[in-house]
Amino acid sequence: MKHRIVVLGAGYAGAFAAGNLARRLSPADTEITVVNAVPDFVERMRLHQLAIGQDLAFHKLTDVFAGTGVRLRVARVTGVDPERRTVAVTGEDGDGELTYDTLLYALGSSVAHHGVPGVAEYAFDVTGRSSALRLRERLDGLGKGGTVLVVGEGLTGIETATEFAESRPDLSVVLAARGELGAWLSPRARRHLRQAFDRLGITVHEHTGIEAVEPTRAIAADGTSVPADVTVWAAGFAVHPIAAASGLEVTGTGQIVVDRTMRSVSHPDVYAAGDSACAIGENGRPLPMSCASAGYTNMQATAAIIARLTGRTVPTTGLKYHGNHISLGRRDAIFQMVDGDAHPKSWYLGGRSAARLKSGVLKGAWWGIVHPTFGMPKRRHRLATAPDRAGVKVAA
């Protein structure tokens, strides 16, 4: 029987990992299936652009995996049973169940409501294509002079606020920051950020934690009312509770606890990559949820899976966080490098040069996904061990 590899999620981590596994492992020994809720690869880092009305190209996953041998199952994951090695799914074909020998869990993350009243009912977000399109429809119907409140001073909040302000100067864009805007940037980069906000006419409420969202306003922790025709919630990310419910060892945030090779510490036939994994970087701290982290963790996970299945020494890939690329509309950006302790370096790149660099990073990530086997070694390795169904590898 072929070794069954199931990859959950076809985002930045899962899609590339599936192509890499297909390129490196012999189809005579392995069967690779990818489960994804939608039939397309979605560029999550561009969804704020989609929400404001810019057209983005979406690529069919069937085209992405064409010629790789990867099987695609368009369905939503509803459960994982690591003891039985099964994944429960539901889709247009109804409910189903997949059995695996090796599982790569890369379901990513969604918006974190943090239990704030009214967020689920009245706020919008840009963490998925459907939610971005819902926001787009609302903004299209918003007349001139309308107010958009963006809650959250992280990367998503900053990029959303600046993109909206640049693309829709007829709107009043407001950002509510729990702390100081750009506090995690170097002083020069922080000044650049504030100048961009001033240039775009974005109003910033610092040290303003939002404690409730209503249809036409948000309520701050001190009771202040912040008027808003539209509230966009960008106050963090949360992973799906499926991992925790499955019995896998997870952190308090629900992320899967993995070792240095991205292997679950509780279930050795399960690997995790991307936002779903609590991966410890070279500085001893968890990698932040980001596209860059998805790249590092998926490369480590696939390298470990291939090595263990083919009887090779498991290599370690770099898990170092280098910094942030922050779009400030289409013509401005900030590239902030960090040191080994994740503190900002004094040097930063800003302006059009940084915007071109950010555009190149996004295009490179997209191109790597839609060409998942490009540049990979062409040799497909045969499995050196035959897995038994109890999880023990037996020499072939």
Side-chain angles (χ1 to χ4, degrees):
M1 181 182 292
K2 292 184 179 181
H3 189 92
R4 297 159 297 187
I5 301 175
V6 174
V7 180
L8 303 184
Y12 289 107
F16 189 83
N20 192 353
L21 290 168
R23 183 63 169 249
R24 302 294 302 280
L25 295 173
S26 172
D29 298 332
T30 55
E31 177 183 287
I32 302 171
T33 301
V34 173
V35 182
N36 200 58
V38 297
D40 308 315
F41 169 67
V42 177
E43 288 188 87
R44 181 169 176 174
M45 292 190 296
R46 291 186 185 271
L47 288 178
H48 56 288
Q49 296 175 240
L50 179 67
I52 202 58
Q54 299 172 29
D55 292 326
L56 302 180
F58 293 98
H59 291 265
K60 296 289 184 184
L61 288 170
T62 50
D63 295 334
V64 170
F65 295 127
T68 65
V70 173
R71 301 180 180 185
L72 175 66
R73 179 74 176 267
V74 179
R76 182 169 57 85
V77 177
T78 58
V80 174
D81 187 337
E83 304 305 328
R84 295 177 53 237
R85 293 181 178 176
T86 59
V87 177
V89 299
T90 184
E92 293 182 356
D93 299 331
D95 297 341
E97 188 175 81
L98 298 173
T99 303
Y100 66 84
D101 298 304
T102 296
L103 180 71
L104 177 54
Y105 190 110
L107 288 179
S109 61
S110 58
V111 64
H113 294 167
H114 299 303
V116 175
V119 173
E121 296 83 1
Y122 306 118
F124 297 79
D125 66 82
V126 292
T127 60
R129 182 171 64 176
S130 60
S131 59
L133 288 173
R134 175 173 165 262
L135 174 55
R136 178 174 179 159
E137 182 178 4
R138 178 70 180 95
L139 292 174
D140 286 345
L142 199 61
K144 292 183 178 181
T147 299
V148 176
L149 170 65
V150 178
V151 180
E153 70 273 27
L155 300 181
T156 302
I158 290 173
E159 293 194 337
T160 299
T162 53
E163 195 76 48
F164 285 14
E166 181 181 270
S167 298
R168 289 285 303 273
D170 58 304
L171 299 177
S172 296
V173 179
V174 180
L175 185 138
R178 184 171 290 274
E180 179 186 352
L181 179 65
W184 37 274
L185 295 170
S186 64
R188 293 177 59 210
R190 194 179 312 140
R191 285 196 298 272
H192 186 112
L193 176 63
R194 290 182 176 277
Q195 289 169 359
F197 269 59
D198 291 342
R199 170 173 54 81
L200 293 168
I202 301 171
T203 300
V204 180
H205 296 301
E206 294 183 312
H207 307 291
T208 303
I210 299 300
E211 298 296 329
V213 176
E214 297 179 358
T216 59
R217 65 175 185 168
I219 308 299
D222 62 0
T224 302
S225 176
V226 184
D229 297 298
V230 177
T231 297
V232 182
W233 194 260
F237 301 103
V239 299
H240 200 285
I242 285 177
S246 72
L248 292 166
E249 184 171 339
V250 299
T251 65
T253 62
Q255 292 174 293
I256 298 173
V257 180
V258 295
D259 63 17
R260 181 59 177 78
T261 68
M262 301 301 113
R263 196 181 203 178
S264 165
V265 298
S266 61
H267 294 78
D269 49 357
V270 176
Y271 293 77
D275 291 351
S276 302
C278 180
I280 305 302
E282 294 176 7
N283 59 4
R285 303 174 183 177
L287 290 176
M289 294 183 181
S290 67
C291 178
S293 298
Y296 301 144
T297 55
N298 97 68
M299 287 189 289
Q300 177 61 80
T302 53
I305 292 170
I306 292 166
R308 289 190 172 113
L309 291 181
T310 59
R312 289 167 169 77
T313 301
V314 177
T316 55
T317 61
L319 296 176
K320 185 176 181 180
Y321 192 67
H322 296 283
N324 295 310
H325 292 86
I326 313 164
S327 294
L328 305 174
R330 294 299 86 210
R331 298 180 295 275
D332 193 5
I334 291 172
F335 177 42
Q336 175 70 69
M337 297 287 290
V338 300
D339 60 23
D341 294 321
H343 297 144
K345 294 184 178 181
S346 59
W347 177 89
Y348 89 102
L349 181 67
R352 289 184 180 270
S353 295
R356 286 192 290 267
L357 178 60
K358 177 63 181 286
S359 178
V361 169
L362 291 175
K363 289 178 180 178
W366 164 83
W367 200 93
I369 293 296
V370 299
H371 299 86
T373 62
F374 180 81
M376 295 292 169
K378 294 183 178 180
R379 182 185 176 188
R380 294 188 175 187
H381 302 294
R382 300 296 302 268
L383 268 61
T385 57
D388 70 8
R389 297 300 173 248
V392 178
K393 294 195 297 183
V394 182

